[in-house]
Amino acid sequence: LVALSTHRVLQDVDSMGHVKILKTAAYHQRYQVKYRRRREGKTDYLARKRLVVQDKNKYGSPKYRLVVRCTNKDVICQIMHSKIVGDVCLSAAYSHELPKYGIEVGLTNYAAAYATGLLCARRLLQKLGLDEQYEGNDDPDGEHFLVEHEDGPRPFTCVLDVGLIRTTTGAKVFGALKGAVDGGLNIPHSDKRFPGYDP
């Protein structure tokens, strides 16, 4: 029985014709796996490089990022900068903290993203001792606002890090951006991606 089945397999192989080997031993020996977070689909390393790499003539000056991530149950805002050993978090705020400030429901919507960005900005400025000098937007009406430099220390400047999401008009990450700007951070931006923008 075994001999019959082996004979049949050999006949099938003979009838297949020439099979080209596409991936040789040399291919597998030289194959290099991608970074772990790229394999997991968590980090866009081209975008990260552009956000993190600092000019050589600025030496060790950190390049700060407002990192916004939206999960199914939370909105996370963090002020980060990178070092050789890894990223360092200066300040963080989460939308699940908002019930302490009077927002009980809708902790993942656009308004919650705005409030979380605002909370993160105020925490950071208080930590750095800039909260009295840069009070942010006293009358938040949705209009374009950028904090202005006065006498003394300059405003805290950072850039928005959105991760892997599509930057569509009205996305929640821009709500967090607006909250952080109204909270007193200097983040270069335009109004083109805020909800309701009509060119």
Side-chain angles (χ1 to χ4, degrees):
L1 185 65
V2 174
L4 278 173
S5 60
T6 309
H7 181 66
R8 228 174 252 156
V9 169
L10 290 172
Q11 278 184 335
D12 292 343
V13 170
D14 290 339
S15 64
M16 283 171 61
H18 178 65
V19 179
K20 185 178 180 184
I21 299 173
L22 295 176
K23 292 182 178 174
T24 62
Y27 168 83
H28 291 289
Q29 285 168 0
R30 296 172 64 86
Y31 184 78
Q32 183 177 14
V33 296
K34 291 182 167 55
Y35 290 153
R36 177 179 58 82
R37 288 184 63 87
R38 171 63 189 89
R39 296 198 307 269
E40 294 171 354
K42 291 182 177 180
T43 299
D44 177 357
Y45 277 98
L46 184 64
R48 177 179 166 80
K49 180 190 171 191
R50 288 172 178 164
L51 286 167
V52 164
V53 171
Q54 181 64 286
D55 298 335
K56 292 289 186 185
N57 62 354
K58 294 180 182 173
Y59 300 98
S61 301
K63 202 169 185 178
Y64 296 106
R65 295 173 289 141
L66 171 66
V67 179
V68 182
R69 300 290 183 268
C70 301
T71 69
N72 287 344
K73 295 186 177 181
D74 218 353
V75 177
I76 305 161
C77 293
Q78 297 171 319
I79 304 294
M80 308 281 288
H81 68 97
S82 63
K83 290 187 174 181
I84 297 292
V85 293
D87 285 10
V88 179
C89 182
L90 279 183
S91 171
Y94 301 86
S95 65
H96 65 247
E97 300 176 71
L98 296 178
K100 288 191 288 187
Y101 301 94
I103 300 176
E104 298 287 343
V105 295
L107 299 182
T108 56
N109 59 21
Y110 191 90
Y114 176 90
T116 308
L118 182 67
L119 178 60
C120 185
R122 297 314 300 167
R123 270 186 187 161
L124 175 72
L125 293 178
Q126 188 174 18
K127 181 179 180 180
L128 299 176
L130 297 171
D131 53 329
E132 292 183 5
Q133 185 162 8
Y134 294 103
E135 295 182 354
N137 194 354
D138 297 330
D139 183 24
D141 53 2
E143 295 299 317
H144 186 75
F145 173 80
L146 266 179
V147 65
E148 294 177 0
H149 178 221
E150 302 166 8
D151 294 335
R154 286 175 293 181
F156 187 91
T157 303
C158 56
V159 292
L160 179 66
D161 181 340
V162 299
L164 296 174
I165 67 130
R166 290 179 183 268
T167 51
T168 54
T169 303
K172 286 188 283 189
V173 290
F174 298 115
L177 163 72
K178 182 61 174 165
V181 169
D182 284 351
L185 299 187
N186 180 27
I187 307 174
H189 68 283
S190 73
D191 298 339
K192 290 186 177 181
R193 287 301 181 198
F194 291 149
Y197 178 79
D198 190 11

